[in-house]
Amino acid sequence: MNRRSFIRFSALTVVAAIAAYFLLKFDRVVRRMIVVDTEALKLNGEAIDRFMTDAKKEFFWDRFSFSKKMFICVQHFLSSLGLKVAYHHKYVQNRSVITGQFLLSTDFFLNKMDSSQPVTYIGFFNPYKTGCSNPFSSIRFTA
């Protein structure tokens, strides 16, 4: 390897590392996933920020190992390009877990899943810390 090839290879490696840092940052990817999945809802921009900080406090992201986080980031990048590679269904499952946790932390289900109403963030949903709610209490039966 001559000097010119080494400099090209080094510069390419540095550019690739910087690009990977910005493309594969898990917090940014999760934020983008939630924004895309809830774009039909009237969400306050602060709700996602509060969810992200509360999820860190509740150690929610610890259930995802480093390799699973990188898997989600790579799959998100590839699916945003329109590519579906192997294990895409696993990515969709992990994405649904994250988006579902966010929606459970809002009043979306308490408002009967009405997308015309504004959705507000209540607090991080933890079934062991949150009181029981009756999902049928808002339904009126007529006989």
Side-chain angles (χ1 to χ4, degrees):
M1 177 183 287
N2 59 15
R3 183 177 177 179
R4 184 174 293 176
S5 300
F6 176 74
I7 291 173
R8 285 182 185 160
F9 178 73
S10 300
L12 184 64
T13 303
V14 169
V15 168
I18 291 171
Y21 174 75
F22 286 110
L23 290 176
L24 302 179
K25 191 160 183 175
F26 185 68
D27 291 342
R28 289 183 184 172
V29 169
V30 168
R31 190 178 310 274
R32 278 188 244 138
M33 284 186 335
I34 293 173
V35 167
V36 169
D37 290 345
T38 60
E39 66 185 7
L41 303 176
K42 296 178 182 176
L43 261 179
N44 185 0
E46 179 184 311
I48 297 174
D49 296 333
R50 288 182 53 204
F51 171 74
M52 296 296 287
T53 57
D54 288 350
K56 283 182 185 176
K57 288 179 189 174
E58 292 284 332
F59 304 107
F60 179 69
W61 306 125
D62 290 349
R63 74 169 39 180
F64 300 105
S65 64
F66 177 75
S67 59
K68 190 179 279 190
K69 288 179 182 178
M70 288 300 107
F71 170 76
I72 291 171
C73 292
V74 169
Q75 286 282 351
H76 177 73
F77 176 71
L78 293 175
S79 68
S80 66
L81 294 176
L83 301 172
K84 289 185 180 179
V85 293
Y87 299 106
H88 181 75
H89 62 281
K90 194 68 174 168
Y91 161 70
V92 172
Q93 181 182 11
N94 288 323
R95 183 177 180 145
S96 298
V97 166
I98 293 169
T99 305
Q101 183 68 34
F102 172 73
L103 288 176
L104 285 171
S105 301
T106 63
D107 65 348
F108 179 67
F109 295 110
L110 296 175
N111 292 335
K112 304 175 199 171
M113 296 183 289
D114 186 10
S115 60
S116 64
Q117 292 183 354
V119 177
T120 57
Y121 180 76
I122 297 172
F124 190 80
F125 177 76
N126 186 346
Y128 298 107
K129 294 181 180 177
T130 307
C132 289
S133 65
N134 185 355
F136 303 109
S137 65
S138 62
I139 300 174
R140 303 200 194 287
F141 293 102
T142 57

